[in-house]
Amino acid sequence: MAPQKTTLAEFEAIFPKLEELLVDEAKGINLPPKYLEWYKQSLETNAVGGKCNRGMSVPDSLSVLLDRPLTSDEYFHAAALGWMTELLQAFFLVSDDIMDSSITRRGKPCWYRQEGVGMIAINDAFMLESAIYQLLKKLFRTHPRYVDFLELFHETSYQTECGQLCDLLTAPEDVVNLDNFSLDKYSFIVIYKTAYYSFYLPVALALLQLDIATPKNLKTAEDILIPLGEYFQVQDDYLDNFGLPEHIGKIGTDIMDNKCSWLVNKALAIVTPEQRQVLEDNYGRKDKTKEAAVKKLYNELGLEKIYQDYEEKRVGEIREMIARIDESEGLKKEVFEEFLSKIYKRSK
């Protein structure tokens, strides 16, 4: 039987069971009922409601590795690990929104901007992170790779926080300094802030669940998934400027937000002194006219073609790496082909 892809509805159906485990844990320390409700509200608002691509990648990868549909027990445990990935994401996003003074998240006010929440959201973020370790203990305490699960989540959190630190210090929203930008810094930010937890983590979790996370398999996964994650973010930056709002579901704001994006770094590498001045005068300003001047410059510099050339070259390199995978220790090329097929030439 062939592998089976999970649906969002199947994946979301697991969450109430996990929430129950978390609420029982809080009841066990006599958290007052009113505050239990707050905790539940935070879990449901912040962990549920996204696309869940990261979380669903765990059962999907497991099914590919086994080359068959999962049993209900396998699915429950893989989806639970997927939800732990989503809880990690929720922990990052709640914190990130406060740091960035963001207004909305998934079409609603950010958690810290919801009535009565405010800076309590900082503690809620800590509780979302703690929930990962509560669930790991409840569901994987007897698994032979329990300590590896713990270390993987701790390591991934640390990597993401280092990426966020570099991002915050390189491109504060209110201080524009293009001398601070570089493609090396950009690469560090996207690899550590995005690629590890979005791409490597779900596959490493599936390998651990099956107990085939050999050093060789983990190294192969990392060597392919980190460049794949970097490509994904470059593509995201490209779509922020060149994508159609009706496709990407939002209007791009990277230029006005002073983002250390791939496009501005590529532009800085090829501009004439006059063009550099256009960037200096207009980048990172909350002004539509100034944003338009930067967009015009991007077109003059031919950044669309530069991106398309980058995409073909990068995807070619990733395909070569996938083709060379040694499947003798249980790793499958198809795991990586699945990731690549979702990303290559996407328009949203």
Side-chain angles (χ1 to χ4, degrees):
M1 288 173 81
Q4 197 172 352
K5 267 188 161 44
T6 187
T7 64
L8 185 57
E10 287 166 338
F11 184 69
E12 286 186 334
I14 300 296
F15 188 78
K17 300 170 194 172
L18 303 177
E19 184 181 73
E20 201 177 319
L21 291 174
L22 293 168
V23 168
D24 284 347
E25 195 68 28
K27 280 180 183 166
I29 60 163
N30 298 316
L31 186 68
K34 190 177 171 186
Y35 307 150
L36 272 174
E37 279 309 308
W38 179 285
Y39 181 37
K40 280 178 69 170
Q41 189 63 42
S42 167
L43 284 166
E44 288 164 19
T45 304
N46 296 309
V48 186
K51 297 189 287 287
C52 293
N53 289 335
R54 295 167 182 83
M56 293 194 297
S57 295
V58 183
D60 283 352
S61 297
L62 200 78
S63 187
V64 168
L65 289 164
L66 291 168
D67 199 25
R68 60 168 172 77
L70 303 178
T71 65
S72 60
D73 184 64
E74 286 166 344
Y75 182 78
F76 175 74
H77 282 86
L81 289 168
W83 275 111
M84 291 175 219
T85 305
E86 293 296 325
L87 284 163
L88 187 69
Q89 153 101 331
F91 158 54
F92 294 146
L93 296 185
V94 170
S95 312
D96 212 13
D97 286 344
I98 297 170
M99 290 181 245
D100 292 348
S101 307
S102 298
I103 307 295
T104 59
R105 168 70 61 189
R106 294 169 183 161
K108 297 187 184 121
C110 298
W111 178 242
Y112 82 98
R113 291 180 66 89
Q114 294 197 14
E115 192 165 347
V117 180
M119 288 303 115
I120 298 168
I122 297 171
N123 194 64
D124 291 331
F126 298 159
M127 290 187 74
L128 291 164
E129 185 191 24
S130 295
I132 298 164
Y133 301 102
Q134 302 278 356
L135 290 173
L136 269 178
K137 189 175 177 183
K138 285 261 188 207
L139 299 173
F140 291 89
R141 184 77 180 74
T142 58
H143 192 287
R145 305 303 290 270
Y146 177 59
V147 172
D148 295 302
F149 280 124
L150 290 172
E151 289 188 347
L152 178 62
F153 274 106
H154 283 307
E155 184 72 14
T156 307
S157 300
Y158 173 68
Q159 287 162 328
T160 310
E161 288 150 9
C162 287
Q164 173 73 342
L165 178 67
C166 189
D167 193 16
L168 290 166
L169 294 176
T170 300
E173 213 172 313
D174 49 349
V175 183
V176 183
N177 179 5
L178 298 179
D179 290 335
N180 237 347
F181 291 1
S182 72
L183 277 167
D184 283 345
K185 273 189 195 165
Y186 173 79
S187 190
F188 182 90
I189 292 165
V190 302
I191 286 171
Y192 285 93
K193 188 180 170 180
T194 303
Y196 272 103
Y197 93 91
S198 302
F199 289 84
Y200 175 71
L201 176 63
V203 174
L205 288 170
L207 292 170
L208 284 171
Q209 187 178 342
L210 291 178
D211 202 4
I212 56 168
T214 61
K216 184 177 169 188
N217 281 348
L218 288 172
K219 179 82 172 73
T220 302
E222 185 177 13
D223 287 348
I224 296 171
L225 292 165
I226 297 309
L228 196 70
E230 188 176 12
Y231 157 50
F232 173 83
Q233 187 59 53
V234 170
Q235 189 180 46
D236 224 44
D237 293 356
Y238 165 78
L239 290 171
D240 183 90
N241 186 73
F242 292 104
L244 299 170
E246 58 268 30
H247 284 169
I248 60 175
K250 61 179 182 181
I251 293 164
T253 60
D254 283 1
I255 293 169
M256 285 204 268
D257 291 346
N258 190 37
K259 285 283 193 283
C260 178
S261 97
W262 186 80
L263 292 172
V264 73
N265 278 296
K266 274 289 170 192
L268 286 166
I270 58 171
V271 285
T272 63
E274 292 77 20
Q275 290 170 326
R276 164 88 186 206
Q277 198 54 52
V278 173
L279 284 175
E280 292 284 359
D281 294 342
N282 297 287
Y283 198 78
R285 313 301 202 284
K286 305 280 188 214
D287 179 320
K288 280 279 178 198
T289 315
K290 295 194 170 193
E291 180 192 44
V294 176
K295 282 177 170 281
K296 182 168 174 279
L297 179 63
Y298 284 178
N299 289 335
E300 282 168 18
L301 293 169
L303 288 186
E304 191 158 14
K305 175 78 168 72
I306 289 171
Y307 167 77
Q308 286 159 356
D309 293 345
Y310 159 84
E311 180 172 52
E312 292 312 314
K313 181 170 181 285
R314 203 67 183 121
V315 169
E317 290 162 352
I318 292 166
R319 284 194 175 128
E320 277 174 29
M321 286 193 277
I322 294 171
R324 290 198 302 269
I325 289 174
D326 174 2
E327 296 187 335
S328 63
E329 293 180 10
L331 198 59
K332 298 266 176 72
K333 294 174 184 171
E334 200 186 324
V335 170
F336 306 97
E337 286 161 356
E338 277 294 311
F339 273 93
L340 186 56
S341 69
K342 283 180 198 160
I343 300 168
Y344 181 51
K345 290 213 179 295
R346 72 189 170 102
S347 61
K348 60 181 181 184

